Each structure stands twice: as structure tokens, then as C-alpha cells.
């Protein structure tokens, strides 16, 4: 497979050097693999730290900035960041108001963020943790105990980030983050497998004319494999999966997310079908976000995430944000 890289061993470091050059509003520590908003720590503000394996860009480094994350820790491709790395990020953003760890439910992430919390607390940093587990496709996958954390991570980081930016205390920011996770559901579909730089070939075999329903962001298998479906049929399947699990009683925010290799032309077409399918199910969509936000390298496909919102959550979603990958109201 052709890739725009030097060598597989330096892919993450090279990307971080490029990110530092493109975004002077961030402090990018290439050697220690920590990305921090340049004005951190912000006096009196709860610090938000997240991270995970690289390969899901712009998650998480692309969401560092005003109104969202204070720091992100990129691991190697599809590999959790290490505890020292996470603890270093917590120390960099702690203003004395405490730090919230936002953790996707993958075994390595959970274990390493737990160990990092202990390290940070030993240094006097107050830490709270929120686990994101929004994927309805499967339970107890190859990478998790329980449901996987996927697209809702963006909702948690944005909405909790807005609350922290307004000066909410740690307990309130944590509570809002937990509410957002509990109110969110996701479902993903793969049309083609991704290729990791180290392997140089597709991570799994998906024959021509077939798709995988319920795929994970590391290429984990989903609910079932079927012959190729139309955009409308896929939307119906995904909407049924998330709505049947969440049973939303109020308006939702919808994220139609590309997995890395799906053109916006197709994503917007898929969004039209998602909106139709949600309307048929009686679900009101208050806001919609379409694009590549939680990816899986060059995987072809898409995921749908919905988050049921009240007036307060919607207000926090609309609040100003300024990051490399998400920006409005500023």
C-alpha cells in the first residue's frame, strides 16, 4: 500500500512535528507525546485531558483548545498512551481546580488512565474520570469489557469543555460529561478495512461487494457482515440501532462521521438518509455535524452518533470553541 510517510516507526512523531508547525496556538511536546493549549493552565479552570491511540485524527489532538480539551496524549497507532505521558499532561493543565480524564472504553486506555490518575494524585492533582462507552454494536469486543467508546467522545469533550471554560467546578464538569455519555449512542459501518503503517496491508479481509455492520474504530468486527447495501438501507439500519437503544424523548445532536476514506460527497448523501430515517422514527434533530472527526486511518465507511440534549446541553454545544478541528462562535 502506498502511504505518505517516511518510515512506519516515525509516523506519530512526524505528524506531531507537522501539527506543531501548523498550530502555534498549541504546545506540542513531540518527545513526550503531549499536546497542550498554549495558555494552559488557565487560572481557576478545570483541565480536560483525553487521549488514545493515534490513527483516529482529529481525535484527540485536533480537539485541544479553548472550549474543549486542555491537553491530549497520542499513543502509537491504535495503542494507548502510557501513564507517565497522561500524568505529565495532567500536571501541565492543572490550575488547582482539578482535572477531568475523558477515557474511551478500551482496556489499555482504562488501565493506563487509572494508573495516571494515581500518579497525578500523588503529585497533588485532583482527578476525576469519565468513561465513554456509547457504541451499541457489540458488548465485550476484542478490545473492551463492555461497550466501546467511539463518536460520543466528541460530544463529551465539547460539552464538558464548554462547561469547564465557563468556570464550572470539577464535580459539575464530571456530572455533565457523564450525562452526555449516558445520552449518546453510536453505530459504525465499514465498506473497506484500514491499513496500519506497520502492517502495510488491510487489517482484515472484507471481500468486494460486502460490508461490516457495527465495526469498531480499530477494525474490530461488528454485528454481522452483509452484501453491499444502499446509503438509505445503511442509514435505516444505523438509525434503528441507536434509536432502539436510546429511546430519545427530546431533540438530539447528530454526528455523521467519516471513518477516514469516505468523501464528503458520500457523507452528506448519507446524512440526508440519516435525517430521513430519524424523522420517520419521530426524532427531532437540533444540530448536525458531518465530517471526519473520529476516524480509523483510511477505513472507508461511516458512523452515526446521536446525543439526546436538553436546553443546557444544547447551549453548551453551541458555546464558542476554537480548536484545529472544531471551531465556531469565536
Amino acid at each position: 500500500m502506498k502511504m505518505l510517510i517516511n518510515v512506519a516507526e516515525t509516523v506519530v512523531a512526524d505528524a506531531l512535528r507537522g501539527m506543531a508547525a501548523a498550530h502555534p496556538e498549541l504546545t506540542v511536546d513531540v518527545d513526550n507525546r503531549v499536546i497542550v493549549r498554549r495558555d494552559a493552565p488557565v487560572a481557576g479552570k478545570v483541565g480536560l485531558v483525553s487521549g488514545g491511540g493515534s490513527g483516529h485524527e482529529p481525535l484527540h489532538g485536533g480537539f485541544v483548545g479553548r472550549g474543549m480539551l486542555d491537553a491530549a496524549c497520542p499513543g502509537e497507532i491504535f495503542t494507548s498512551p502510557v501513564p507517565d505521558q497522561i500524568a505529565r499532561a495532567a500536571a501541565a493543565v492543572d490550575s488547582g481546580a482539578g482535572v477531568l480524564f475523558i477515557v474511551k472504553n478500551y482496556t489499555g486506555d482504562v488501565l493506563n488512565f487509572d494508573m495516571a490518575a494515581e500518579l497525578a494524585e500523588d503529585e497533588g492533582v485532583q482527578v476525576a474520570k469519565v468513561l465513554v462507552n456509547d457504541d451499541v454494536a457489540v458488548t465485550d469486543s476484542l478490545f473492551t469489557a463492555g461497550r466501546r467508546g467511539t463518536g460520543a467522545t466528541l460530544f463529551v469533550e465539547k460539552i464538558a469543555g464548554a462547561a469547564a471554560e465557563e468556570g464550572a467546578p470539577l464535580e459539575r464538569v464530571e456530572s455533565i460529561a457523564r450525562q452526555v455519555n449516558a445520552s449518546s449512542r453510536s453505530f459504525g459501518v465499514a465498506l473497506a478495512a484500514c491499513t496500519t503503517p506497520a502492517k502495510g496491508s488491510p487489517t482484515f479481509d472484507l471481500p468486494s461487494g460486502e460490508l461490516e455492520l457495527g465495526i469498531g474504530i480499530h477494525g474490530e468486527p461488528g454485528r454481522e457482515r452483509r452484501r453491499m447495501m444502499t446509503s438509505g438501507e445503511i442509514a435505516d439500519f444505523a438509525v434503528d440501532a441507536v434509536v432502539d437503544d436510546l429511546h430519545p424523548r427530546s431533540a438530539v445532536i447528530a454526528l455523521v462521521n467519516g471513518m477516514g476514506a469516505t468523501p464528503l460527497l458520500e457523507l452528506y448523501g448519507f446524512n440526508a438518509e440519516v435525517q430521513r430515517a430519524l424523522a420517520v422514527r419521530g426524532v427531532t434533530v437540533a444540530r448536525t455535524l458531518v465530517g471526519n472527526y473520529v476516524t480509523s486511518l483510511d477505513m472507508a465507511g461511516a458512523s452515526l452518533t446521536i446525543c439526546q440534549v436538553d436546553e443546557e446541553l444544547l447551549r453548551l454545544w453551541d458555546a464558542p470553541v476554537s480548536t484545529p478541528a472544531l471551531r465556531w462562535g469565536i
Side-chain angles (χ1 to χ4, degrees):
M1 301 291 291
K2 295 179 181 178
M3 293 184 175
L4 195 63
I5 65 173
N6 293 315
V7 293
E9 292 76 13
T10 66
V11 166
V12 176
D14 291 345
L16 290 176
R17 289 191 296 107
M19 188 175 198
H23 296 286
E25 72 275 17
L26 303 178
T27 299
V28 181
D29 185 338
V30 177
D31 292 333
N32 292 306
R33 306 292 173 88
V34 177
I35 303 164
V36 182
R37 54 186 282 183
R38 187 167 290 278
D39 60 350
V42 178
K45 178 188 176 300
V46 171
L48 267 65
V49 175
S50 193
S54 295
H56 305 304
E57 289 74 20
L59 192 79
H60 293 272
F63 299 140
V64 175
R66 179 181 168 188
M68 214 161 173
L69 294 176
D70 293 271
C73 305
E76 292 299 323
I77 300 294
F78 293 172
T79 303
S80 172
V82 299
D84 285 348
Q85 181 183 357
I86 303 165
R88 186 176 288 108
V93 304
D94 179 42
S95 68
V99 174
L100 178 68
F101 286 171
I102 299 172
V103 188
K104 300 188 304 301
N105 188 31
Y106 295 95
T107 302
D109 287 7
V110 172
L111 291 174
N112 286 353
F113 271 90
D114 281 349
M115 286 188 280
E118 295 177 5
L119 293 174
E121 287 167 349
D122 287 344
E123 297 299 320
V125 179
Q126 182 184 4
V127 176
K129 301 187 295 291
V130 171
L131 191 67
V132 182
N133 56 353
D134 54 302
D135 188 1
V136 304
V138 295
T139 301
D140 298 332
S141 74
L142 298 176
F143 287 73
T144 65
R147 290 180 166 179
R148 303 176 292 215
T150 57
T153 313
L154 182 151
F155 290 147
V156 173
E157 291 176 357
K158 170 62 185 78
I159 294 173
E165 201 70 48
E166 293 179 351
L170 180 59
E171 295 78 7
R172 178 59 180 156
V173 177
E174 178 188 5
S175 174
I176 288 171
R178 292 186 184 280
Q179 180 184 355
V180 173
N181 177 65
S183 301
S184 300
R185 301 291 188 275
S186 294
F187 190 87
V189 179
L191 311 182
C194 63
T195 301
T196 62
K199 189 171 187 288
S201 59
T203 53
F204 62 92
D205 178 40
L206 188 56
S208 176
E210 295 186 4
L211 78 167
E212 185 88 19
L213 294 165
I215 198 73
I217 59 174
H218 306 96
E220 310 98 303
R223 285 186 177 180
E224 58 181 291
R225 187 169 290 186
R226 289 190 181 183
R227 297 189 65 176
M228 188 59 194
M229 300 158 63
T230 67
S231 176
E233 290 168 339
I234 296 170
D236 286 329
F237 197 101
V239 167
D240 284 346
V242 295
V243 171
D244 287 348
D245 199 276
L246 182 60
H247 303 292
R249 297 177 301 279
S250 62
V252 303
I253 304 170
L255 168 64
V256 173
N257 172 67
M259 300 305 294
T262 303
L264 274 172
L265 181 72
E266 296 177 31
L267 290 178
Y268 277 118
F270 182 57
N271 179 54
E273 297 297 339
V274 165
Q275 301 288 332
R276 171 195 55 78
L278 287 168
V280 167
R281 297 295 299 266
V283 179
T284 299
V285 180
R287 303 286 187 275
T288 302
L289 188 63
V290 179
N292 289 289
Y293 294 100
V294 184
T295 64
S296 183
L297 293 170
D298 61 344
M299 181 183 287
S303 64
L304 169 64
T305 305
I306 62 171
C307 176
Q308 179 176 268
V309 290
D310 55 22
E311 289 184 4
E312 176 67 0
L313 294 188
L314 191 59
R315 183 188 68 79
L316 292 169
W317 173 259
D318 288 340
V321 60
S322 180
T323 72
L326 212 63
R327 184 185 300 266
W328 59 68
I330 292 177

